[in-house]
Amino acid sequence: MAEPFILINCKAFAEGMGNRGQLIAEAAETVMEESGVQIGMAPVYTEIHPISHHFRIPVFAQHIDGVAPGPFTGHVTAAAVRHAGAVGTLINHSERRLTLAGIEAGVKAARAAHLETVVCTNNDPTTAAAAALEPDYVAIEPPELIGSGISVCKADPEIIRRSVEAARRVNPKVKVLTGAGIQTGDCVRIALELGTSGVLLASSVVKAEDPAKVLRDLVSLVTVTRREG
Amino acid sequence: MAEPFILINCKAFAEGMGNRGQLIAEAAETVMEESGVQIGMAPVYTEIHPISHHFRIPVFAQHIDGVAPGPFTGHVTAAAVRHAGAVGTLINHSERRLTLAGIEAGVKAARAAHLETVVCTNNDPTTAAAAALEPDYVAIEPPELIGSGISVCKADPEIIRRSVEAARRVNPKVKVLTGAGIQTGDCVRIALELGTSGVLLASSVVKAEDPAKVLRDLVSLVTVTRREG
Amino acid sequence: MAEPFILINCKAFAEGMGNRGQLIAEAAETVMEESGVQIGMAPVYTEIHPISHHFRIPVFAQHIDGVAPGPFTGHVTAAAVRHAGAVGTLINHSERRLTLAGIEAGVKAARAAHLETVVCTNNDPTTAAAAALEPDYVAIEPPELIGSGISVCKADPEIIRRSVEAARRVNPKVKVLTGAGIQTGDCVRIALELGTSGVLLASSVVKAEDPAKVLRDLVSLVTVTRREG
Amino acid sequence: MAEPFILINCKAFAEGMGNRGQLIAEAAETVMEESGVQIGMAPVYTEIHPISHHFRIPVFAQHIDGVAPGPFTGHVTAAAVRHAGAVGTLINHSERRLTLAGIEAGVKAARAAHLETVVCTNNDPTTAAAAALEPDYVAIEPPELIGSGISVCKADPEIIRRSVEAARRVNPKVKVLTGAGIQTGDCVRIALELGTSGVLLASSVVKAEDPAKVLRDLVSLVTVTRREG
């Protein structure tokens, strides 16, 4: 993804599915075009296909299991979400934790299926560990701030700084996203100043009365420095 | 579902996705129309929507999490699969085991979303326990026979008989499906004679060169006794 | 166990280990002798051996895995806890949930090792399901009340009543324990009046300044009706 | 631990408990004294206390949960195993996998309780990730070789070499152990030549008719280079 990258995690919120999900996708598409900032969306599995086919935004899965196609009832393979139109995936979100071996297998399976990977972590040591697995992104989200409405950028900028350093030390190529409590353009600005490449957020956009308005605010203080992906 | 009921679990087999998945769905639709036997299909999550919209067959999810819509990244809600077109769901498949509390929450969530429930179990005591949760079906699948190519109907008919009895004793309304190693019309006939209401199967159809041919064989010895839903 | 049965779950509380654990065991032994009420204790695994060897109280494990002895690093077998001196075990406590297949395997393994089984559940349908597995006891503990200091006997007696009925319907031989928020003799009295055979409790005894005093209060309104053992 | 370090994982083998466990501990003590090679033992939780009190060998837990003392029924805290006499612990064995966050919490909890930590991994990327968490040891065990009787040193020395390099790159202070299929002094020699600090093994000692004989063979080609602690 080009920098900065804003990734909207719809979780299993009612407000992120069906018509509401489409509204969010449309807002993301519009604000991405207006601003040049990459805005991705991670809907529920069943909506990866419709969202990715109707909107020009990068669509992510919320999770994959690092298994090859085979006898794995109820599992989510990289191949399946790629086939449905996803271009990337979250792995190890705090609401869907995996074993270390599972994260590694997931990153590997995603890479083989040409999916970008965002591995979620909870502090700086786990960020360093995740970076060692060579995903595209590590998203650091202090669990106690997820869904709290308190921005990690303000509550605990040091954990972001330490995480960026920890990730760089292990793997200078990995990019870091800031997660937990991101709500405003000011949060995004701080996240970028702390050395991260964007943000991972959920309720502030998904549950917004006017998602486009929130997204416009989120990108308002951002200077798009390069455009690739 | 009307009796007998044949439910095809696509698992995460490559042969059950994409074009191949559509071919299986088409075969199911055709043989269901020819024979009057209900034939359902449980594709991967991402294909619930296309399969249920393009084919007149009952579509099942392979798993749901018994959580209400909310902050549950990577989880599969009853609402999401229902919205995508599913009319039922597997719960607690041996490849996706849940806690007892999770099974109960899944059955309850499915019922609230008007999904039929098939709770998978591994022996007669767990069948009795599952029956106590009042799902529509319990599918008994001895784990050692899943994917073995050895039909439970021939290898261990007693476990089916005991499971039917155990389920009835706890809850006379619950229907039982026979799973594990089902491959031929003869297996289906025995499954029905043992008192079960149909079969749950996977590789014998999903990996078949000609799924329609296998399905025709599966229904060949069946007399359709009633037709409901 | 004779009725009524009071089972003290030490959890991983610091106040339930080491010298403090021995103090609780001593209090249990004393009050059991004074009152004739069976009082059991479930310490951490590492203290099953010393507690069971130094005190004349029934010692329970807090959990077992339903695996046979074998290559299961970090697992807790029925054989190991029996060998250490336990006479029973909790299974499926809300802080250590198991799959349905795991609970069934645990009950079976415990029975084979001559351990009494207390399967924990969270509502009346799961109580019915657990009863189908034929443990000695089912302990119903509404999760929202565990550790709350609010007694289930006062907050939600109906869930106890429904659970007793549900269990009896499925398996008249299973005994039910009342859990969550039990603190006083009055709670114990109500628990018995609701048809349960005793209580499962933790912090009110484990964290008490004077465990013997709390235990004396707990048994104060109880009439010992029979003594087996 | 001084180098080299041989750690015997008793798993839940019947042959590693009770009198047999004591026999193994005695053999470890004897061969450690004879050879100067550190030989540790990880018995089941319930035998940490007796083994550590009766034998002068370093005793390890097979697993800990990275939780602080508190309401965690059935969990194994660092404090509990330390109190029972353990001086270290395995974490994330392939038979007891943890989430990444769980491994990190376990390492931190162990360190706080003055326990040495051996984090188990399955390949070189996970070894690098584990090294980032700063345990004392990472033990690399290709899962397909565990319990196979095929020594990783012979079947796949490259995975050991790559793991040592990966670990060093991330954290030069972490020591690596070789696991999976270790059976003879030759395996131990190769393991040390590949740059690891010792071996983690199980069945070849635990199930041996004469554990002391196997241990003597294991240390037979080793030159003890330093002795610390």
Side-chain angles (χ1 to χ4, degrees):
Chain A
M1 297 297 126
E3 242 171 78
F5 179 37
I6 292 178
L7 181 51
I8 306 164
N9 177 8
C10 295
K11 302 193 174 186
F13 286 130
E15 299 88 343
M17 289 182 213
N19 292 342
R20 271 286 308 189
Q22 303 220 347
L23 191 109
I24 295 166
E26 198 179 346
E29 189 184 70
T30 303
V31 177
M32 185 162 90
E33 279 169 8
E34 286 171 11
S35 66
V37 174
Q38 283 281 322
I39 303 179
M41 180 168 163
V44 293
Y45 307 123
T46 43
E47 303 197 351
I48 291 174
H49 187 273
I51 297 284
S52 65
H53 284 75
H54 294 137
F55 301 93
R56 281 163 315 206
I57 53 169
V59 172
F60 277 60
Q62 292 180 15
H63 156 84
I64 60 165
D65 295 292
V67 294
F72 302 105
T73 300
H75 288 60
V76 180
T77 60
V81 302
R82 177 75 203 184
H83 184 79
V87 299
T89 187
L90 294 175
I91 291 176
N92 194 46
H93 188 276
S94 73
E95 292 153 10
R96 193 71 174 83
R97 287 295 192 223
L98 297 176
T99 63
L100 174 57
I103 299 170
E104 196 267 335
V107 169
K108 201 175 278 171
R111 200 183 290 138
H114 306 290
L115 294 171
E116 297 227 12
T117 45
V118 178
V119 175
C120 300
T121 58
N122 56 313
N123 57 23
D124 41 310
T126 52
T127 299
L133 304 176
E134 305 187 6
D136 297 289
Y137 295 91
V138 180
I140 157 76
E141 298 195 294
E144 65 279 12
L145 297 178
I146 294 176
S148 69
I150 301 168
S151 168
V152 64
C153 292
K154 290 167 185 179
D156 194 0
E158 277 316 302
I159 200 175
I160 303 299
R161 216 185 297 272
R162 287 198 312 272
S163 294
V164 170
E165 275 166 28
R168 295 244 166 94
R169 218 164 30 232
V170 169
N171 177 359
K173 280 185 294 188
V174 78
K175 287 176 278 189
V176 179
L177 297 180
T178 299
I182 304 300
Q183 301 193 85
T184 66
D186 210 42
C187 300
V188 175
R189 182 184 57 75
I190 297 170
L192 298 177
E193 285 172 8
L194 290 168
T196 64
S197 300
V199 296
L200 173 62
L201 45 66
S203 49
S204 60
V205 170
V206 176
K207 297 190 152 191
E209 210 175 307
D210 183 350
K213 192 176 160 194
V214 174
L215 284 167
R216 280 195 187 97
D217 179 41
L218 286 164
V219 302
S220 61
L221 303 176
V222 164
T223 315
V224 179
T225 50
R226 58 191 174 92
R227 183 73 191 267
E228 298 161 12
Chain B
M1 298 295 127
E3 243 172 77
F5 179 38
I6 293 179
L7 181 51
I8 306 163
N9 177 7
C10 295
K11 300 194 174 186
F13 288 129
E15 298 89 343
M17 289 184 215
N19 292 342
R20 271 285 307 187
Q22 303 220 347
L23 191 105
I24 295 165
E26 199 180 343
E29 189 183 70
T30 303
V31 178
M32 185 162 89
E33 279 170 7
E34 287 170 11
S35 65
V37 174
Q38 283 282 322
I39 303 179
M41 178 170 166
V44 294
Y45 307 123
T46 43
E47 303 196 352
I48 290 174
H49 187 273
I51 296 285
S52 64
H53 285 74
H54 294 137
F55 301 93
R56 279 163 315 201
I57 54 169
V59 173
F60 277 59
Q62 292 180 15
H63 155 84
I64 60 165
D65 295 292
V67 294
F72 302 105
T73 299
H75 288 60
V76 180
T77 59
V81 303
R82 177 77 205 184
H83 185 78
V87 300
T89 186
L90 292 175
I91 290 176
N92 195 45
H93 189 274
S94 73
E95 294 153 10
R96 191 74 174 81
R97 286 294 190 224
L98 297 177
T99 63
L100 173 57
I103 299 169
E104 195 268 336
V107 169
K108 201 176 280 173
R111 199 183 292 140
H114 304 291
L115 295 171
E116 296 227 12
T117 47
V118 179
V119 175
C120 300
T121 59
N122 55 315
N123 56 22
D124 40 308
T126 52
T127 299
L133 304 176
E134 305 187 5
D136 296 290
Y137 295 91
V138 179
I140 159 75
E141 299 195 295
E144 65 279 13
L145 298 178
I146 294 176
S148 69
I150 301 168
S151 168
V152 65
C153 292
K154 289 165 189 183
D156 193 0
E158 279 314 302
I159 200 176
I160 304 299
R161 217 185 296 271
R162 286 199 311 273
S163 294
V164 169
E165 274 165 29
R168 294 244 167 97
R169 220 166 25 235
V170 168
N171 177 0
K173 280 184 293 185
V174 78
K175 286 177 276 189
V176 179
L177 298 179
T178 298
I182 303 299
Q183 303 195 84
T184 65
D186 211 42
C187 300
V188 174
R189 181 184 56 77
I190 297 170
L192 298 178
E193 285 173 7
L194 290 167
T196 64
S197 301
V199 297
L200 173 62
L201 43 66
S203 48
S204 59
V205 170
V206 177
K207 297 189 152 191
E209 211 175 306
D210 183 349
K213 192 176 159 193
V214 175
L215 285 168
R216 279 196 188 97
D217 179 41
L218 286 164
V219 302
S220 61
L221 302 175
V222 164
T223 314
V224 178
T225 49
R226 58 190 174 94
R227 185 72 191 268
E228 302 163 8
Chain C
M1 294 299 126
E3 236 171 87
F5 180 37
I6 292 178
L7 181 51
I8 306 164
N9 176 6
C10 295
K11 301 194 174 188
F13 287 128
E15 298 89 341
M17 289 183 215
N19 292 342
R20 270 285 307 185
Q22 304 220 346
L23 191 105
I24 295 165
E26 198 179 344
E29 188 183 72
T30 304
V31 177
M32 185 163 89
E33 280 170 8
E34 288 171 10
S35 66
V37 174
Q38 284 282 321
I39 303 179
M41 179 169 165
V44 294
Y45 308 123
T46 42
E47 304 197 352
I48 290 173
H49 187 273
I51 297 285
S52 64
H53 285 75
H54 294 136
F55 301 93
R56 282 162 314 201
I57 52 169
V59 172
F60 277 60
Q62 292 180 16
H63 156 84
I64 60 164
D65 295 292
V67 295
F72 302 104
T73 300
H75 288 60
V76 179
T77 60
V81 302
R82 177 77 204 184
H83 185 78
V87 298
T89 185
L90 293 176
I91 292 177
N92 194 47
H93 189 274
S94 73
E95 292 153 9
R96 191 75 171 80
R97 286 296 191 219
L98 297 176
T99 64
L100 174 57
I103 299 169
E104 195 268 336
V107 169
K108 201 175 281 172
R111 201 182 292 141
H114 305 290
L115 294 171
E116 298 228 12
T117 47
V118 179
V119 175
C120 300
T121 58
N122 56 315
N123 56 24
D124 40 310
T126 52
T127 299
L133 303 175
E134 305 185 5
D136 296 291
Y137 294 91
V138 180
I140 159 74
E141 298 196 294
E144 65 279 14
L145 298 178
I146 295 176
S148 69
I150 300 169
S151 168
V152 64
C153 293
K154 289 166 186 180
D156 193 359
E158 278 314 303
I159 201 175
I160 303 301
R161 215 185 297 271
R162 285 198 313 273
S163 295
V164 170
E165 275 166 30
R168 294 244 168 97
R169 220 164 26 233
V170 167
N171 177 357
K173 279 184 292 186
V174 78
K175 286 176 275 185
V176 179
L177 297 179
T178 299
I182 304 299
Q183 301 192 86
T184 65
D186 210 40
C187 300
V188 175
R189 181 185 56 77
I190 297 171
L192 298 178
E193 285 172 7
L194 290 168
T196 64
S197 300
V199 296
L200 174 62
L201 43 66
S203 47
S204 58
V205 169
V206 178
K207 297 190 153 190
E209 211 175 304
D210 183 349
K213 191 176 161 195
V214 174
L215 284 167
R216 279 196 188 98
D217 179 40
L218 285 165
V219 302
S220 62
L221 303 176
V222 164
T223 314
V224 179
T225 50
R226 58 193 175 92
R227 186 73 191 270
E228 299 162 13
Chain D
M1 296 298 125
E3 240 171 85
F5 180 38
I6 292 178
L7 181 51
I8 306 163
N9 177 7
C10 296
K11 301 194 174 187
F13 287 129
E15 298 89 343
M17 289 183 215
N19 291 343
R20 271 284 308 185
Q22 303 219 348
L23 191 108
I24 296 166
E26 197 179 344
E29 189 183 73
T30 304
V31 179
M32 185 163 90
E33 277 168 12
E34 287 170 13
S35 66
V37 174
Q38 283 282 320
I39 303 179
M41 178 169 166
V44 294
Y45 307 123
T46 42
E47 302 196 352
I48 291 174
H49 186 273
I51 296 285
S52 64
H53 285 74
H54 295 137
F55 301 94
R56 278 159 318 196
I57 54 169
V59 173
F60 276 60
Q62 292 181 15
H63 156 84
I64 60 164
D65 295 292
V67 294
F72 302 104
T73 300
H75 288 61
V76 180
T77 60
V81 301
R82 177 77 204 183
H83 185 78
V87 299
T89 186
L90 293 175
I91 291 176
N92 194 45
H93 189 275
S94 73
E95 293 154 8
R96 192 71 172 84
R97 288 294 193 222
L98 297 177
T99 64
L100 173 57
I103 300 169
E104 195 267 336
V107 170
K108 200 175 281 171
R111 199 183 292 138
H114 306 289
L115 295 171
E116 297 228 12
T117 47
V118 179
V119 176
C120 301
T121 58
N122 55 315
N123 57 23
D124 41 309
T126 52
T127 299
L133 303 176
E134 306 186 5
D136 296 289
Y137 295 91
V138 180
I140 158 75
E141 298 196 294
E144 64 280 12
L145 298 177
I146 294 176
S148 70
I150 302 168
S151 168
V152 63
C153 292
K154 290 165 186 180
D156 193 0
E158 279 314 303
I159 201 176
I160 304 299
R161 217 185 296 273
R162 286 199 312 273
S163 294
V164 170
E165 276 166 29
R168 294 244 167 95
R169 219 162 33 231
V170 168
N171 178 359
K173 278 183 295 187
V174 78
K175 288 176 276 190
V176 179
L177 298 179
T178 298
I182 303 300
Q183 301 193 87
T184 65
D186 211 39
C187 300
V188 174
R189 182 186 54 76
I190 297 171
L192 298 178
E193 285 172 8
L194 290 167
T196 63
S197 301
V199 298
L200 174 62
L201 44 66
S203 47
S204 59
V205 170
V206 177
K207 296 188 153 193
E209 211 174 305
D210 183 349
K213 192 176 161 195
V214 175
L215 285 167
R216 279 196 187 96
D217 179 41
L218 285 164
V219 302
S220 61
L221 303 176
V222 163
T223 316
V224 178
T225 51
R226 58 193 174 88
R227 184 76 192 265
E228 298 163 11

